Structure formats: C-alpha cells, structure tokens
Amino acid sequence: VVLSLSGFAGDFVVATAGPDLESIIAAKGAGAHSYSKEHSTCIANIDIGGGTSNLALFADGELLDTGCLDIGGRLIKVDQSSHEITYIAPKIKQLAERRGFLLAIGQRVTPDDLQPIIGEMVKLLEESVGLRPPGDFYNTIVTNKGLKLDLAIPCISFSGGVADYIYHESTGDVFEFGDIGILLGRAIASSPLTQQLTV
C-alpha cells in the first residue's frame, strides 16, 4: 500500500495541506529558509505556478508567515497557433474590467496587448511583499491571506514554473505553453521585485 501511495505523495500533500504548507515546502525546496539563516536576514519566497503564487517569509531561518495570491501563468490561456484567448480566470477578468482593459475570449492578442494586465499582476505581487502599499484590488486577489509585513523584506527568491522565466531569458514563442507564464516571468524579471530586492 505504501509503495502504491508513494507515487501520489506530492499531490496528496498539496491537496490536503492547503496553501500554507505548500508555501513552506516550496520555500524550503528553494533554499529560502537556509539563505535567511546563513545570512541573518529576512527573505520572501514566491512560488509562482499556473494558478496561484504561494508566499513564505523567513527571518534567520524561522518561518514568520505564509500567504497566497491568485496570480499565475495559466490564468489567461492563449491558443499557441491562433494567439486567441481561450480562458480568462474570473478574478483576472474582474481586474481587467476595473482597470478598463479589453480582454475577451476569442480575442487575438500579441504580447504587447497583454502587458497592461500582466503589469497589474506584477504590481499585486509587489504589494504582497511591501514594495508598494496595498491597492484597491489586493484583498480580492489574496486567496486565503497575505503576509503580515511587520519587517522590511530585503531579499526575495522565486520558485515554480514561472520562475524559470524570471531567472532565465526565454527564446522562441512566448505562447509555447498556451498561457502567459513566460510573459509574466519576463515582467517580474524587469520589475522592482528584482530591481529593488536582493534576488
């Protein structure tokens, strides 16, 4: 039974533990807690996947807090060949409408067309680690809770699928995965998240 279940262990942990433990596992896997201990500093890890960004905050190797935001690479899906939008997550649609951006299923888009909404997603990530004050949409995008920002956060690390495109420049089609993950990673890489914090 143990052998049969072991293959599902990761899915089981994520499904049963919820975003708090998922945030901690991702951050420890990324080495954030070790870095915070070795450098006697405070560091936030943002684990950015397809649907959510899980946050974990460590200081001197100790976990201070976790959080989760509905920001991820698959919240807008784009057909790889036609470049038409095939899916928009409800909260992202709501954000686009509030900001006056045109986004619709079936709309043919270029990377430039998507930059405004991706920029808003990046701003929300900046708000989550205290680089800007929480805006009018922050509480809406928070899944369960945000980080308590009692301390300044000088360091940041990233994990998850989108992180590949924060740390490494992509070549080829930005829609190769049928979503905005590559564009989101690029936008984070050129944002205050990486410019103002030690990555």
Side-chain angles (χ1 to χ4, degrees):
V1 171
V2 170
L3 285 174
S4 298
L5 288 175
S6 65
F8 300 104
D11 294 334
F12 176 76
V13 167
V14 170
T16 57
D20 286 343
L21 189 53
E22 192 176 351
S23 298
I24 297 166
I25 291 169
K28 287 194 171 188
H33 76 299
S34 300
Y35 184 92
S36 75
K37 187 172 186 177
E38 290 164 11
H39 295 83
S40 299
T41 191
C42 188
I43 182 170
N45 184 74
I46 307 181
D47 184 62
I48 311 174
T52 57
S53 292
N54 293 291
L55 296 90
L57 182 63
F58 290 89
D60 300 320
E62 297 296 321
L63 176 72
L64 297 184
D65 201 9
T66 61
C68 185
L69 279 64
D70 284 322
I71 292 178
R74 294 193 65 76
L75 297 184
I76 299 175
K77 296 179 186 175
V78 180
D79 183 85
Q80 188 183 350
S81 54
S82 70
H83 292 183
E84 291 181 356
I85 295 176
T86 59
Y87 171 77
I88 306 168
K91 285 188 182 180
I92 299 304
K93 188 169 181 60
Q94 185 183 345
L95 177 60
E97 288 168 357
R98 186 175 294 191
R99 298 292 182 260
F101 303 149
L102 176 64
L103 275 186
I105 304 292
Q107 177 185 348
R108 188 176 167 83
V109 289
T110 65
D112 286 344
D113 294 330
L114 294 167
Q115 284 312 315
I117 191 65
I118 291 171
E120 291 296 319
M121 294 166 78
V122 173
K123 285 179 187 174
L124 288 160
L125 289 174
E126 292 167 12
E127 291 171 20
S128 75
V129 294
L131 285 181
R132 59 172 70 227
D136 63 335
F137 205 76
Y138 181 71
N139 288 332
T140 304
I141 210 73
V142 168
T143 308
N144 60 341
K145 65 183 181 69
L147 296 178
K148 291 189 292 287
L149 300 171
D150 302 333
L151 297 173
I153 302 172
C155 303
I156 193 165
S157 62
F158 301 94
S159 57
V162 171
D164 285 347
Y165 303 98
I166 300 171
Y167 289 110
H168 308 290
E169 183 60 40
S170 63
T171 56
D173 181 12
V174 295
F175 297 128
E176 71 173 295
F177 300 113
D179 59 28
I180 61 166
I182 292 175
L183 293 173
L184 179 59
R186 283 182 179 176
I188 292 168
S190 60
S191 76
L193 288 164
T194 61
Q195 309 301 318
Q196 294 182 21
L197 302 176
T198 299
V199 179

